[in-house]
Amino acid sequence: MRSPAVPAPGVYRRSGIHGAALRRGYEACRRATRATGEIEYAVSLLLPPPLRTATWALYGAVRAVDDLSDAAGPAGEADPGRAARLEAWISAFDTDLREGRGSDPVRRALIHTMLTWNLPPGFLHTLFEELRQDADGRQFATWQEWRHYNSLINTPLVLRASSLLLRATGLSTEPEAIAAGVPDVAVACQTAVEAVYLTDALVDLSDDLGRGHVPLPQEALDEAGVRRADLLARRTTPAFEELVRRLADRARTWLDRTPPPPALHPAVGVALGAYTDLYRLRLKAAAAAPAALLHRRPALPRGARLRLLLPARAKAALAWGLFPFPVRPGPPEPAPTTTPEGPGRAEGAHLPASGPRPAVAPTPHPSGARPPRLPGEATPRHVAIVMDGNGRWATARGLPRTDGHRRGAEALVDVVHGALEIGLEYLTVYAFSTENWKRPAAELQALMYEIPQIVRHLVDENLDVRVRWAGARSRLPADVVEQLLRFERLTRDRTGLTLTMCVNYGGRAEITAAAATLAREAAAGKADPGAVSEHAFAQYLYVPELPDVDLLLRTGGDHRTSNFLPWQATYAELLFLDTPWPEADRRDLWDAMGQYARRTRRYGSVPRVVAQAAAP
Ligand code: IPE
Ligand code: IPE
Ligand code: MG
C-alpha cells in the first residue's frame, strides 16, 4: 500500500476546508507529517477526513516549529539564527491566534484547526517554552529528567490528539478530565507516551547525533558503560548494542502494558491498535540492527507494514461506514470571493452565522444615578484602577477572602456599565499581579476561575466593549490564556470602551519582555538600535495601542501602585480611595473622573497664568 502523494480534494472539502490558501497550509502540514511521521501519517489515513486533516495540522506544525528549534549546529554549537527564527515564529503565532488568522501557511492551518476544534493553545505554549530551552541543546542527566520532559512536551500533545479522537465517539469530555478522575488512565497514558518516545529516541538517534544531541539520559549510558564520545563519533560497541536491545525491550514492555482506552468508536480502536502495532514493528527493526542506528533511521519492513495496514484500513472503513463520524467541525467558511486570505475567517467557526450581534446599551445604576457632564477637554481618556481591598472586605465580615473576589467581580461589572455610560474610551483594571502568585493555592484557584468568568459575563452581555489582555503567559493556566485570547478575538470589532484586563501583569515584567523582544530583533537585524524611540519601544508592550493613563485610581486604602503600568502611568493623576473594591460602583468612577476634571496637569511646564491683576 502506497500513501497517496496528493490527497483527493474531497478530503479538504469534507473537512470544511475551502480556501486555496488554507488548503496550501494543510498541504504543507500533510507533507511534513508524511516526511517525518511515517507511523502517524499511516494512521491518519485510517481516520475520517476532518480528523485526518486536524492530525496533519497538529503534527505537521509541531514538526515545522521543532525543525526551526533544533538549534545546535553540527559541532553542538548554538545557532542564534535558529533561536531567533523560533522566537519570530512563536510571536507571529501569538499575534495570528489573537487575530484568528495565519500569516504563513503552516500557522494558518494550525490556527484553523485550533479554532475549528476549540483546542486550548496552552499545550502549544508549553511546547514552545521547552523548544526555547532546547535551543542550547537538551541533555538529560537522569531518567527522571527525561520523564519530566516527556510529561511537559509530549504528553500534552498526545492528550490533544486523544481529545480529537474522543470526539469521534461523541464524547465532549477532555482526556485530562478522564485522567484526573481515573488514575489508572493517567498512568497508562504516561506509560504509552514514554514507550513511543523511547522508541523514537532510538530510531532518531542518527539525526540527533548529527545535531550534537544524545537523546538518552546520561544515567542510562553510564549504567550500560557506553561513552558519549563514542556515540557522537558514531562508533558502535558491544555495550551500545546491548543498551539498544535493552531499551527496545523496555519500550516493548511499556507498550504491552498499555491497555486500550475504554469506550472508543470501533474505528478509533482500530486506528490506535494499528498505531501500537506499527510501533512494535519499529522497535523490532531498531533492535534487529543496533549498530545501524548510529548512521540512519531504520525503515519499517514493507511487507510487515502492509500486512498490518491493509486489514486495518478495511476494518476502519467498515466501522466508519457502520458508525459514521458523528461530529461536524465548525460551519464551512464563507465563500472565497470575500477576502480569500483575509484575517479572521477561521473565527467564523465560532461566531453566529448571522455575524456579530449589535452591541446593547449599558443598563442604568439601580439608584437611578446618571453620569455627570464633564467638560470635554477635562475628561480622562484612560482610567486605570487597582481594584484592591477584596480580601480585607471579606475578612471584616467573617467571610472567606474568595467571597471578596466574587463581590469584587460584581463591582467591576457595574463600573464597566458606568464607563460606557460616561463615554470613557479606555479602562484598564489590575485583576491579578505577577506578585499575587504568592497567595494560598485555594485563593489562586478561585481567582483563576473568577477572572475569566467576569470577562465572559461582560462579553455575553454583548456590551460595546473591546476586551484586551495585558500580562505574561507563564504560570497562567492554559484555559485562562485560551479564554482571554478568545474574548479578545470575539470583541475585536467593538468600538466603544476598550477594557484591558491586567492578568498576571507586572509592570517590570512588561518592560523587560518588551526590551528582550526588541533586543532579539536588533540582534537578528530586524530592528535598528539607532531608531529606538519611546514610541517605537511602546510597540513592544502587551497592548501597544494603550494610550497614557490619565487617571490612576486605587481602592482599599493603600497609597501605592504595586508594579502597575509604570510605563503608561508616568504622568497619571493619582487618586486613592478608602472604599474597598467590593463596595465600589460606577458612582466612584464618575466621582473620580469629576475630581480629575478639577486638577491642573502641567506635564513639566509652568502653570498657565489666566489673567494678570493690574498693579495698584
Ligand atoms: C485585590 O484585593 C484583588 C487581588 C489582588 C487579586 P486583595 O485580595 O488584594 O484584597 P486585600 O488587599 O487583601 O484586602
Ligand atoms: C495589587 O494589589 C494587585 C491587584 C489589585 C490585582 P495587591 O493587594 O496585590 O498589592 P499589595 O501587595 O498590597 O501591594
Ligand atoms: Mg491587596
Side-chain angles (χ1 to χ4, degrees), residues 566-607:
W567 177 275
Q568 299 86 343
T570 43
Y571 250 106
E573 292 295 322
L574 307 180
L575 190 62
F576 299 100
L577 304 183
D578 287 334
T579 317
W581 180 249
E583 282 179 14
D585 63 38
R586 69 185 84 183
R587 291 168 299 182
D588 297 291
L589 170 73
W590 295 341
D591 271 358
M593 289 171 72
Q595 291 197 43
Y596 170 90
R598 292 190 288 280
R599 292 194 183 177
T600 309
R601 302 185 79 189
R602 289 186 289 277
Y603 298 102
S605 68
V606 288

Side-chain angles (χ1 to χ4, degrees), residues 386-392 401 436 439 554 558 560 562:
V386 181
M387 308 184 289
D388 194 28
N390 294 353
R392 280 164 290 159
R401 289 175 59 85
N436 288 147
R439 298 191 175 199
R554 180 176 187 139
D558 285 321
R560 55 178 172 262
S562 305

